[in-house]
């Protein structure tokens, strides 16, 4: 898909990968819809992206997700791309997983994106065209200690995306998954940690490769919009971890 003049919703656009993606797509001529909870951050970013629209959205709230899709449609008349990027990490050994935290994370990392898909699909079907990009994680391809809960949700979004791709190909709606590797954003700071001492994760320099910038992942997201490929990895070597 050619990005110029396309209407693109980016969830989690107030920081990190979402912000970098919104900025990059706007630079390439897209009309971006900035969705997240932080009003001030979104207003500031929006001022720098002419023609953008802010819709304050908590992606764990179904009524707010519905409103995001409705307001975008009302404002721009169409929705070409939905990027389900909002998310949060959770580090906990299996026996320390809190059911409350896991449920909350399920709402944000899995159910929210699925509800957004559910709302946007009829709009795209009417247009006879659309694209949905779900942001998974390299952890969905690996078995990293303490990341079972988070990675299980990121694996689940892959299953949903690839299935939806099959279901919706007849409607000319493309579903893709992007797998970022460690990306230097506020993600680690925002990751909920249960049963892990701070020094333990701060000093954990186990053979992980250096992280990427949010701008690098934004380029990968732009690439997937252009190629409409099913799965795009931050790095080619990640494919061998499947
Ligand atoms: N950074 C990494 O190493 C990495 C690696 C693999 C995958 N990922 C994935 O990449 C995506 C983006 O992460 P990031 O690195 O950019 O992290 P980040 O800097 O922490 O950004 C997270 C974004 O999600 C939004 N968000 C959080 N809770 C939300 C809610 N309830 N409703 C709506 N928006 C919400 C935040 O905005 P508000 O707080 O304003 O709502 C923020 O814009 C996530 O899905 C993450 O799982 C990240």
């Amino acid at each position: 898909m050619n990005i110029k003049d396309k209407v693109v919703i980016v969830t989690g656009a107030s920081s990190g990968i979402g912000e970098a993606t919104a900025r990059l797509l706007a630079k390439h001529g897209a009309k971006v819809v900035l969705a997240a909870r932080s009003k001030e951050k979104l207003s500031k970013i929006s001022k720098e992206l002419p023609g953008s629209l802010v819709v304050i959205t908590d992606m764990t709230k179904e009524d707010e997700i519905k409103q995001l899709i409705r307001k975008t449609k009302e404002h721009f008349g169409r929705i070409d791309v939905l990027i389900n990027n909002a998310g949060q990490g959770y580090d906990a050994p299996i026996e320390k997983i809190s059911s409350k935290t896991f449920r909350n994370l399920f709402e944000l990392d899995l159910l929210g994106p699925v509800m957004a898909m559910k709302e946007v699909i009829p709009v795209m079907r009417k247009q006879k065209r659309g694209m949905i990009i779900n942001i998974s994680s390299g952890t969905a391809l690996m078995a990293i200690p303490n990341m079972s809960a988070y990675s299980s949700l990121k694996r689940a979004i892959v299953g949903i995306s690839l299935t939806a791709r099959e279901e919706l190909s007849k409607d000319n709606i493309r579903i893709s998954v992007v797998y970022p590797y460690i990306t230097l954003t506020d993600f680690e700071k925002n990751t909920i940690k249960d049963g892990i001492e701070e020094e333990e994760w701060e000093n954990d320099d186990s053979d992980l490769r250096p992280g990427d910038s949010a701008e690098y992942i934004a380029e990968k997201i732009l690439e997937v919009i252009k190629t409409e490929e099913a799965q795009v990895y931050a790095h080619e070597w990640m494919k061998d971890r499947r």
Side-chain angles (χ1 to χ4, degrees):
M1 183 185 281
N2 182 343
I3 191 66
K4 189 154 180 353
D5 294 327
K6 296 297 186 303
V7 177
V8 184
I9 298 176
V10 183
T11 73
S14 63
S15 84
I17 294 171
E19 177 181 352
T21 302
R23 288 184 185 279
L24 181 70
L25 301 185
K27 202 172 108 189
H28 284 263
K31 296 166 186 162
V32 291
V33 180
L34 309 167
R37 295 165 303 173
S38 310
K39 193 174 174 190
E40 277 181 25
K41 284 189 197 169
L42 291 182
S43 306
K44 192 167 170 280
I45 297 165
S46 178
K47 281 195 187 111
E48 296 169 38
L49 306 179
S52 61
L53 174 72
V54 169
V55 185
I56 306 303
T57 313
D58 183 334
M59 288 301 293
T60 65
K61 301 208 161 76
E62 211 172 326
D63 56 332
E64 295 191 21
I65 294 170
K66 284 184 178 168
Q67 177 184 257
L68 167 65
I69 304 303
R70 198 185 60 244
K71 282 195 171 171
T72 303
K73 180 76 170 59
E74 277 168 13
H75 188 85
F76 288 113
R78 57 183 295 112
I79 304 172
D80 297 293
V81 185
L82 164 68
I83 304 176
N84 271 319
N85 163 77
Q88 194 175 17
Y90 183 31
D91 287 358
I94 303 275
E95 78 271 25
K96 299 284 183 184
I97 290 172
S98 138
S99 56
K100 186 168 181 278
T101 307
F102 200 179
R103 275 198 195 98
N104 291 344
L105 258 285
F106 168 82
E107 304 261 331
L108 176 62
D109 288 354
L110 188 61
L111 193 58
V114 173
M115 290 302 110
M117 291 172 77
K118 187 179 155 185
E119 289 303 311
V120 87
I121 285 166
V123 177
M124 292 180 170
R125 185 178 284 122
K126 262 195 193 157
Q127 293 167 184
K128 302 191 188 324
R129 194 167 193 207
M131 233 194 133
I132 299 171
I133 300 170
N134 291 326
I135 306 303
S136 177
S137 162
T139 59
L141 308 164
M142 305 168 194
I144 304 177
N146 306 325
M147 288 196 155
S148 58
Y150 171 71
S151 78
S152 70
L153 300 172
K154 291 298 187 179
R155 282 168 209 260
I157 196 69
V158 173
I160 286 173
S161 305
L162 299 181
T163 308
R165 188 173 172 96
E166 295 303 312
E167 279 180 21
L168 296 163
S169 67
K170 63 179 185 321
D171 297 305
N172 205 20
I173 300 172
R174 305 276 174 260
I175 318 291
S176 300
V177 187
V178 173
Y179 299 88
Y181 178 61
I182 296 170
T183 312
L184 306 173
T185 64
D186 287 343
F187 179 79
E188 188 54 44
K189 191 186 87 192
N190 294 332
T191 290
I192 302 161
K193 295 170 182 78
D194 275 336
I196 305 174
E197 295 304 319
E198 193 147 321
E199 312 82 63
E200 226 178 296
W201 53 266
E202 274 188 349
N203 297 332
D204 181 12
D205 54 1
S206 46
D207 13 297
L208 292 172
R209 302 173 196 222
D212 301 309
S213 67
E215 289 72 23
Y216 174 82
I217 301 300
E219 291 284 355
K220 292 285 169 188
I221 294 172
L222 176 60
E223 177 189 320
V224 83
I225 293 174
K226 286 181 183 161
T227 62
E228 302 184 358
E229 260 181 276
Q231 302 183 81
V232 165
Y233 304 80
H235 302 281
E236 288 304 298
W237 60 262
M238 291 166 74
K239 286 185 184 175
D240 303 330
R241 306 296 295 259
R242 277 179 294 190

